[in-house]
Amino acid sequence: MPYDHRKTPHRLRTLLRGPALVLAAAGCCAALAGCGASQASPSDGKSTQGAEAAPTTATPSGRPDGSGAPAASPGAAGSSLAGRTVVLDPGHNPGNFRHSKEINQKVNIGTNRKECDTTGTSTNAGYTEAAFTLDVTHRLRDLLTARGAEVVLTHDADRPWGPCVDERARIGNAARADAVVSVHADGSAVGHRGFHVILPARVREGAADTAKIVGPSRELGERIADRFARATGTAPANYLGSGTGLDVRDDLGGLNLSTVPKVFVECGNMRDPKDAALLTSAAWRQKAAQGMADGIATYLRG
């Protein structure tokens, strides 16, 4: 939907009015849910009306066995991302379900006004998208910092709720990120399987003007889709994108308000039992993080 709640050693940077975590390349290999039905989601995330009432803590990130140490990145040698900044946006916040009044407040996304955020979806067994996306984000962070990138998180479950979708966009803009990736999982119908990457449409209305980022965002999305499929062995979504794994949308504030290349990655469908079995596997989540890291790296290296 367009998040594991561990605190890890970090150096703190305040961006805008919400904290974002910045992990420097040196010494930062510490251990570490726009979704609903993708084509008709009410906001940058899915609202499941209580599906997240009992947040589930994900397996500690790191190795596929959950031991906490980051897995080695194949081909990392000679693939330095030093000097590049990547903003990672874990979809939703584990505390959102306790703050319905706050997250239901409308914010301006350029084309109209939409909810600040949503709770995200969950598997039938109660594993939340918020837990999933934060776990994958931690794994992805470690892989990117191991390659020398500076990584900024829009949040690390270090605030009661949010940030709102407009603030998420501002954090990436303020960081002058070379790439922004918002991590999600979908909440579509049973039988809808596979991953997809959401790209920004050309939008110019109000505070939104995506003209300069449409091209580079598509390139970023294509690289991630290719490497995600290779790393995870999963296929592009069978319910949108005509088998490309790419979906263009103009209704997501996190994309509309971005001034830097940005995509959303919907890693799979939490409401389908077969996809859910993958999403709840620590080993598969490590592969998902690896695929995204490889895609981001190939994009940044040109």
Side-chain angles (χ1 to χ4, degrees):
M1 180 175 180
Y3 312 162
D4 205 346
H5 323 31
R6 293 170 303 284
K7 303 297 181 190
T8 57
H10 59 270
R11 145 173 94 81
L12 197 60
R13 171 194 289 175
T14 299
L15 286 175
L16 307 166
R17 58 185 178 81
L21 299 181
V22 182
L23 295 169
C28 283
C29 292
L32 303 181
C35 308
S38 288
Q39 294 174 313
S41 68
S43 71
D44 283 40
K46 296 171 286 295
S47 179
T48 57
Q49 300 166 352
E52 205 168 16
T56 303
T57 301
T59 305
S61 60
R63 295 187 184 278
D65 62 4
S67 64
S73 176
S79 59
S80 174
L81 299 180
R84 313 309 291 269
T85 299
V86 179
V87 171
L88 301 179
D89 178 30
H92 316 287
N93 182 315
N96 277 358
F97 78 101
R98 299 188 187 95
H99 295 272
S100 58
K101 179 179 178 180
E102 290 86 351
I103 67 172
N104 284 332
Q105 292 178 355
K106 299 293 181 69
V107 299
N108 195 320
I109 67 164
T111 53
N112 54 49
R113 296 181 66 82
K114 295 182 70 173
E115 292 82 0
C116 157
D117 202 0
T118 64
T119 61
T121 190
S122 70
T123 67
N124 291 334
Y127 180 53
T128 65
E129 181 183 4
F132 169 82
T133 63
L134 200 56
D135 177 86
V136 172
T137 296
H138 286 162
R139 297 170 186 270
L140 177 54
R141 173 189 64 185
D142 282 355
L143 293 168
L144 292 173
T145 55
R147 298 186 186 198
E150 179 181 42
V151 179
V152 177
L153 272 63
T154 60
H155 78 94
D156 198 7
D158 51 350
R159 52 194 291 172
W161 55 274
C164 295
V165 295
D166 57 338
E167 184 184 356
R168 291 171 187 263
R170 290 197 299 271
I171 291 171
N173 298 343
R176 298 183 180 181
D178 296 293
V180 183
V181 175
S182 189
V183 181
H184 288 268
D186 210 355
S188 191
V190 174
H192 288 182
R193 297 198 60 196
F195 71 90
H196 66 280
V197 181
I198 303 175
L199 314 176
R202 188 174 292 272
V203 173
R204 187 173 185 180
E205 187 173 346
D209 186 354
T210 62
K212 293 182 179 179
I213 70 163
V214 167
S217 295
R218 173 168 284 274
E219 182 180 354
L220 172 62
E222 290 175 345
R223 297 296 181 93
I224 290 176
D226 174 65
R227 295 309 178 100
F228 191 94
R230 295 190 198 185
T232 64
T234 55
N238 62 8
Y239 57 102
L240 50 71
S242 301
T244 65
L246 303 175
D247 185 32
V248 177
R249 291 176 61 173
D250 63 4
D251 63 325
L252 302 179
L255 296 181
N256 288 358
L257 300 176
S258 184
T259 59
V260 293
K262 183 174 182 176
V263 300
F264 282 36
V265 180
E266 299 279 0
C267 297
N269 177 20
M270 298 195 99
R271 308 304 290 181
D272 177 83
K274 292 181 180 179
D275 267 14
L278 298 176
L279 298 169
T280 54
S281 162
W284 190 89
R285 292 195 300 272
Q286 186 67 27
K287 293 176 182 179
Q290 186 68 64
M292 283 186 269
D294 291 345
I296 293 167
T298 57
Y299 166 76
L300 294 178
R301 293 199 303 266

